[in-house]
Amino acid sequence: MRSAERSRQGALRAVGWTVFLGLVLFPSPSVETVVGNIVAPVAIPVAYVGAWAFQWLHPNPLISQDKDVERLAELPSVSLAEEEQKTGYPDPVSGLAWLEVPVVETDLERGRLWLAAGEDFALASGQAVVFGNYWVGRIGKVFEQRAEVELWIAPGARTGVELLRQGSSVSGVCLGRGQKALPLIRWIQPTGHPASGDRILWRASEEDPPALAKKKYLLGVLLRGGDESRGAGEWSADVALPLAVEGRVWVGAGAIGDSTVAEPSVRHAKCLPVLRGDAVLLGPWQSMIQEEPQFASALIWNGFALGAIKAQRSRYLWALGLTQEDWAEQGFPMRSSVTGFVSSFTRGGDGVPRGLQLGFSLPCSFEVLSGSETVHQSMEGEKE
Amino acid sequence: MRRDIRWRVALPISFFLVALQPALRAFPAGSFLPDFGLVLLFVFIPAVGSRSPWFPPILVFWVGAFRAGVSAISPLSSWAGFGLSILLRRWVHRQVSPHSFFLRFSVGVISAIPSTSMDALVSAQWGVAFPMEVFWARCLGVGLLWAFFTRPSSLRRGLRS
């Protein structure tokens, strides 16, 4: 009997540890949230006592918080959205309205962008998508609050093109092959004589409005590749797709709703810093407590992103402050047309919204950027 | 009654020592200190002869919850790491003699590996550096404490459960 009881307990323990290990190796956000909410009433008092002990043992912090605040205050504040709007807003087309839609997820490998609006914003399949004078693609699948853009470089995507050189043009079809391979230009008009360096412009289809068909949108520059000696030469396109299309695009629509800008709602919430530094992990960690428990994605101060929220236990948050090097892959620089300064911005993804101007240290007081679950979930799977 | 005394000692000490950990880590070379939660569990949970089967898992739960206040690491990860370390310690301890300092030290080092590995794994998932020298220093620290403070006589008395 005793042996049976031991076996039963041993089996239970084995199952328990297997489950724990599975959850550690493959973290589940919903389980983490539940567990976080359970331990928060215990964790928060420990954090306060830890902060008190920290203050007692380190009355003079090694890094001057005032200096950080002064340094950040000197940085010019730039809005990425405004910069993108300046460069990306297309020329007006009669009978057509340009709907400005932020991008929440990119999958350049598959040639897809996911937009922060859908049927609720009068988006429909087949609509033209542009950025300034650049052709981006067409709206594909449309959902209630999301829509997919099929980029012209997407594998298998066919786009009618005109090859333009000093006034003369010849038509052809561009065949997308994804991000890693250059798109091919096929079925070029037999009477034409294309040459490397010709500009590749978008050519309207029969379904496009006549006013839009008169516009010229750039796809790239024509290149001659392949092995000519074997008769395997082929025309391809040197892609001209601005990096800013990862941020927002403009969709041509004949019918529009109340607004022409579909900016996702983002909220700010103040929080109280508690602990600076993690008891186990290395790096510039900061813990803080919100007034109300709500989803948080990024730590910002005075408009500058300082780090990403990595763990949330009810009102208790843990943020990892990121250095300039850390942001190198997640952020990108842009020169402001107003101030002339080069500022760095978040590219978006991993829960952090796009377009936050980057700061690189942790000052003494700050707030967290919180958004709706919809925005979080849509950002979560973003691939850079 | 005896159970009450046990909890009255273990929980407050764990609470304050775990809370003290971030302040000690902030000192120079503080990152090389062994994990306080693991050391406390090794002290309070006997390697062999645990009378109550519920005392070790419940104490692991509490120490993991305390740790969630001072570290971004998920409590699940802490619980899994602590639990595996305690199981491994029990198994290794049965294989070797506790009368040799070196063998006790080895038991401590080997037992600390699962918990420290969990911490390193979480670091890797978040893209935070966890150098090998820190990893081994923490394991060796646990080994030294285990070797010094758990002599054969102390294994059979004190805070037994």
Side-chain angles (χ1 to χ4, degrees):
Chain A
M1 189 65 185
R2 193 179 175 86
S3 172
E5 180 63 18
R6 276 185 186 167
S7 300
R8 190 181 69 84
Q9 286 182 1
L12 279 174
R13 281 197 200 106
V15 170
W17 296 133
T18 306
V19 170
F20 276 141
L21 283 176
L23 289 169
V24 170
L25 295 174
F26 308 101
S28 158
S30 53
V31 175
E32 293 285 347
T33 303
V34 171
V35 172
N37 290 341
I38 291 169
V39 301
V42 176
I44 290 173
V46 176
Y48 276 123
V49 173
W52 173 80
F54 196 101
Q55 185 67 30
W56 180 55
L57 287 172
H58 304 276
N60 300 312
L62 297 173
I63 303 164
S64 166
Q65 295 177 341
D66 292 339
K67 274 188 181 175
D68 291 339
V69 174
E70 284 171 16
R71 189 186 63 79
L72 282 178
E74 286 170 2
L75 288 173
S77 180
V78 179
S79 163
L80 179 64
E82 286 177 12
E83 294 295 326
E84 287 174 346
Q85 283 160 355
K86 275 179 194 163
T87 54
Y89 200 89
D91 294 334
V93 176
S94 61
L96 201 69
W98 290 116
L99 302 177
E100 181 187 330
V101 193
V103 175
V104 293
E105 191 178 329
T106 59
D107 185 356
L108 296 179
E109 193 64 35
R110 290 178 54 233
R112 298 281 190 277
L113 301 177
W114 283 96
L115 304 182
E119 289 169 356
D120 59 339
F121 199 57
L123 299 186
S125 183
Q127 286 174 325
V129 181
V130 302
F131 183 92
N133 292 322
Y134 295 92
W135 180 255
V136 175
R138 287 188 187 276
I139 297 285
K141 294 173 190 166
V142 182
F143 302 93
E144 181 59 33
Q145 293 179 326
R146 291 186 87 186
E148 180 192 51
V149 175
E150 187 186 47
L151 298 174
W152 65 269
I153 60 167
R158 292 186 179 204
T159 309
V161 294
E162 271 185 55
L163 310 176
L164 188 70
R165 181 174 27 142
Q166 293 177 344
S168 67
S169 70
V170 56
S171 63
V173 175
C174 176
L175 189 64
R177 294 197 295 169
Q179 190 186 17
K180 289 183 180 171
L182 292 178
L184 296 176
I185 306 297
R186 294 268 178 88
W187 303 288
I188 297 172
Q189 211 172 355
T191 54
H193 299 286
S196 289
D198 287 0
R199 289 201 303 154
I200 305 170
L201 301 176
W202 170 75
R203 179 162 56 85
S205 70
E206 291 177 355
E207 295 169 359
D208 290 308
L212 186 65
K214 292 176 187 169
K215 293 289 177 184
K216 306 288 185 190
Y217 296 105
L218 185 66
L219 277 78
V221 176
L222 192 64
L223 292 175
R224 184 69 178 168
D227 191 347
E228 294 286 0
S229 61
R230 293 185 175 184
E234 56 189 11
W235 294 104
S236 58
D238 187 10
V239 177
L241 198 61
L243 183 67
V245 300
E246 291 181 19
R248 63 190 61 235
V249 292
W250 278 259
V251 181
I256 59 171
D258 298 334
S259 170
T260 56
V261 182
E263 201 67 48
S265 64
V266 177
R267 294 190 302 275
H268 295 75
K270 283 192 176 174
C271 59
L272 177 72
V274 182
L275 268 174
R276 193 167 187 168
D278 190 290
V280 180
L281 303 174
L282 308 181
W285 289 92
Q286 175 75 51
S287 76
M288 66 219 94
I289 291 180
Q290 285 180 302
E291 289 178 357
E292 295 291 331
Q294 55 184 326
F295 165 74
S297 61
L299 176 65
I300 61 171
W301 181 83
N302 204 18
F304 293 93
L306 303 177
I309 304 293
K310 294 290 188 182
Q312 178 160 11
R313 283 149 208 161
S314 185
R315 297 189 299 129
Y316 191 48
L317 312 173
W318 277 97
L320 177 61
L322 296 177
T323 63
Q324 197 158 4
E325 291 73 30
D326 295 328
W327 282 113
E329 290 180 2
Q330 299 174 47
F332 67 93
M334 180 179 268
R335 184 180 293 278
S336 165
S337 60
V338 179
T339 63
F341 284 100
V342 175
S343 302
S344 292
F345 298 92
T346 55
R347 290 184 75 177
D350 198 21
V352 179
R354 180 187 169 84
L356 302 177
Q357 197 172 348
L358 296 177
F360 301 113
S361 56
L362 292 165
C364 53
S365 60
F366 37 71
E367 55 191 6
V368 289
L369 190 66
S370 59
S372 64
E373 280 298 323
T374 314
V375 173
H376 166 63
Q377 284 169 356
S378 62
M379 300 294 294
E380 205 172 44
E382 184 164 351
K383 301 285 188 298
E384 295 298 330
Chain B
M1 187 65 186
R2 184 161 54 186
R3 179 178 170 174
D4 288 343
I5 291 170
R6 191 174 56 199
W7 286 115
R8 278 180 205 166
V9 172
L11 285 184
I13 290 176
S14 303
F15 181 97
F16 283 106
L17 283 181
V18 170
L20 194 64
Q21 201 170 342
L24 297 179
R25 285 259 187 258
F27 282 114
S31 59
F32 294 99
L33 289 173
D35 186 77
F36 284 20
L38 187 63
V39 172
L40 287 166
L41 288 172
F42 278 13
V43 169
F44 287 125
I45 299 171
V48 287
S50 178
R51 289 179 190 168
S52 164
W54 294 110
F55 180 73
I58 293 174
L59 190 61
V60 164
F61 170 83
W62 279 108
V63 173
F66 294 156
R67 205 189 197 210
V70 293
S71 175
I73 288 184
S74 163
L76 283 171
S77 178
S78 299
W79 293 331
F82 288 154
L84 284 174
S85 282
I86 287 168
L87 287 178
L88 185 63
R89 184 193 59 161
R90 189 172 70 174
W91 183 79
V92 179
H93 182 81
R94 283 176 175 168
Q95 313 303 315
V96 298
S97 163
H99 296 278
S100 158
F101 176 87
F102 177 74
L103 291 178
R104 289 200 307 274
F105 172 72
S106 304
V107 170
V109 172
I110 292 169
S111 306
I113 288 175
S115 176
T116 316
S117 299
M118 286 291 175
D119 300 341
L121 181 69
V122 174
S123 282
Q125 283 174 347
W126 280 334
V128 182
F130 199 92
M132 286 309 287
E133 55 265 31
V134 171
F135 180 94
W136 286 115
R138 291 185 184 183
C139 293
L140 293 173
V142 174
L144 273 178
L145 289 171
W146 178 252
F148 272 118
F149 295 110
T150 54
R151 295 187 182 89
S153 56
S154 68
L155 287 172
R156 287 188 290 272
R157 65 162 194 265
L159 288 165
R160 286 187 66 177
S161 53

